Amino acid sequence: MRRLGALCPAAKTAAYLCLMPMIHHAALADTSRHALASVNGGCVFTMALSQKEQDIQLMLAAQCHLGTKNMNHQMERYVYKRRNDGIYVINLEKTYEKLQMAARVIVAIENPQDIVVQSARPYGQRAVYKFAQYIGAKSLAGRHTPGTFTNQIQKNFEEPRLLILTDPRTDHQPIKESSYMNIPVIAFNDTDSPLPFVDIAIPANNKGKHSIGCLYFLLARMVLEMRGAVTPAAPWNVVVDLFFYREPEETREAGEEELVDDGFAALPAPVGASDSWAEAPAAGAAGAFGAVDGFDAASAPAGYQQVDAAAFGQDF
């Protein structure tokens, strides 16, 4: 390498081009030696997964790739294969690409309050609340009130610039109203979901509570990354579990029923009460029915005369 300085520029370039493969192979050999040394030393040499690979692993764990036994002809392009039991498997590569496209559309809207996230399915209501909280959008969970996007005299009238839905089949009413008002729609579509009036269809499992929470979690993080709020230096510390639907029994505090039962059992029994209805309470005990002192000794009111009932006849 030291003798290359005496060559002319053209010859020097040719010499470098000839030596580049040798340098490349030497670097690869050096890397392999380090890998073998680390394995021999008791450590396994593994490459760190990229963010995309980690996200796809998360979607696999949440079963976002499992569709249904039915398939819409327009969703055929997103299907990878069909299992032996008839379940269609969704291509998560295209799901990830559609999530990125949806995140770019969301970031392009200046005011996040112009975005409405909606879910009539119970499994997606908590995910909708969390997604709207982190990106600053509006959330409409539960039953859709007809006329929310079309009736201007309604109290809850909304005029969004973008509508995000969990299931096009369940949320068919807001899709129909958005077609009247020219509102673009982003929706999570299963293999059997209808696609009319859906502008960006994200192919994924929209029936499982873990799948819906995982999709909204990834979409929210992508939006924050594109806005610059989340960076490798300042990662997003929110866990995906916050987006999952929780059963009412899970949200109830532990031991709440036991405390209520113990409170009723701790009430004192009335004095003189018995376990058997056949046993009468003792005379003079509280709760016993009998004469009370003081009432028999009371005098009759003034002008009161006792009248015999026989004087009024037998029919009285």
Side-chain angles (χ1 to χ4, degrees), residues 267-282:
L267 294 176
V271 179
S274 59
D275 296 336
S276 176
W277 289 93
E279 300 178 3

Side-chain angles (χ1 to χ4, degrees), residues 146-189:
T148 302
F149 302 144
T150 55
N151 189 1
Q152 298 183 1
I153 65 174
Q154 195 178 39
K155 181 180 179 181
N156 298 326
F157 175 73
E158 296 288 344
E159 198 171 3
R161 294 183 58 189
L162 179 64
L163 181 62
I164 304 175
L165 300 176
T166 305
D167 185 7
R169 191 176 299 278
T170 307
D171 302 323
H172 62 90
Q173 183 66 26
I175 289 182
K176 186 177 181 180
E177 295 183 9
S178 66
S179 65
Y180 297 154
M181 306 303 293
N182 293 329
I183 301 173
V185 175
I186 298 175
F188 295 107
N189 286 48

Side-chain angles (χ1 to χ4, degrees), residues 21-304:
M22 300 174 59
I23 297 173
H24 180 66
H25 288 299
L28 291 178
D30 188 44
T31 305
S32 61
R33 281 197 299 270
H34 282 294
L36 293 175
S38 60
V39 172
N40 294 332
C43 301
V44 179
F45 182 79
T46 58
M47 296 180 61
L49 296 177
S50 63
Q51 185 65 53
K52 179 180 179 180
E53 293 173 342
Q54 294 178 9
D55 294 342
I56 291 180
Q57 284 188 353
L58 183 62
M59 287 191 288
L60 284 172
Q63 297 183 348
C64 297
H65 63 292
L66 297 182
T68 61
K69 292 186 178 181
N70 301 323
M71 183 179 62
N72 191 336
H73 69 283
Q74 292 179 317
M75 292 293 296
E76 187 176 359
R77 72 189 79 172
Y78 304 115
V79 173
Y80 172 67
K81 69 173 185 178
R82 188 179 186 181
R83 300 194 315 190
N84 295 331
D85 56 355
I87 300 294
Y88 287 97
V89 179
I90 299 174
N91 189 350
L92 291 183
E93 178 76 21
K94 298 183 179 180
T95 301
Y96 193 80
E97 294 175 357
K98 283 301 188 76
L99 283 172
Q100 290 181 326
M101 180 185 296
R104 294 190 188 100
V105 174
I106 294 172
V107 172
I109 297 178
E110 298 84 2
N111 185 12
Q113 286 293 309
D114 291 337
I115 303 173
V116 170
V117 192
Q118 194 165 1
S119 174
R121 188 182 292 274
Y123 282 176
Q125 292 180 6
R126 189 181 186 196
V128 160
Y129 285 135
K130 292 297 182 180
F131 180 82
Q133 173 189 349
Y134 288 116
I135 73 167
K138 290 183 180 179
S139 61
L140 298 177
R143 178 182 178 273
H144 175 78
T145 304
T148 302
F149 302 144
T150 55
N151 189 1
Q152 298 183 1
I153 65 174
Q154 195 178 39
K155 181 180 179 181
N156 298 326
F157 175 73
E158 296 288 344
E159 198 171 3
R161 294 183 58 189
L162 179 64
L163 181 62
I164 304 175
L165 300 176
T166 305
D167 185 7
R169 191 176 299 278
T170 307
D171 302 323
H172 62 90
Q173 183 66 26
I175 289 182
K176 186 177 181 180
E177 295 183 9
S178 66
S179 65
Y180 297 154
M181 306 303 293
N182 293 329
I183 301 173
V185 175
I186 298 175
F188 295 107
N189 286 48
D190 212 330
T191 55
D192 60 345
S193 298
L195 286 179
F197 304 115
V198 176
D199 298 280
I200 298 179
I202 303 175
N205 177 13
N206 58 9
K207 295 176 176 59
K209 58 182 179 180
H210 296 121
S211 173
I212 295 174
C214 176
L215 293 170
Y216 274 108
F217 168 79
L218 294 177
L219 186 59
R221 199 200 62 205
M222 289 180 181
V223 171
L224 295 178
E225 287 177 351
M226 293 181 183
R227 289 179 179 173
V230 176
T231 59
W236 200 31
N237 296 325
V238 177
V239 294
V240 68
D241 300 35
L242 295 178
F243 289 74
F244 291 161
Y245 170 79
R246 297 180 62 185
E247 298 288 345
E249 290 78 9
E250 299 178 5
T251 58
R252 188 176 302 170
E253 296 182 2
E256 183 178 355
E257 296 181 356
E258 289 77 3
L259 293 176
V260 173
D261 295 339
D262 295 342
F264 281 107
L267 294 176
V271 179
S274 59
D275 296 336
S276 176
W277 289 93
E279 300 178 3
F289 297 99
V292 181
D293 297 339
F295 282 93
D296 292 339
S299 59
Y304 173 77

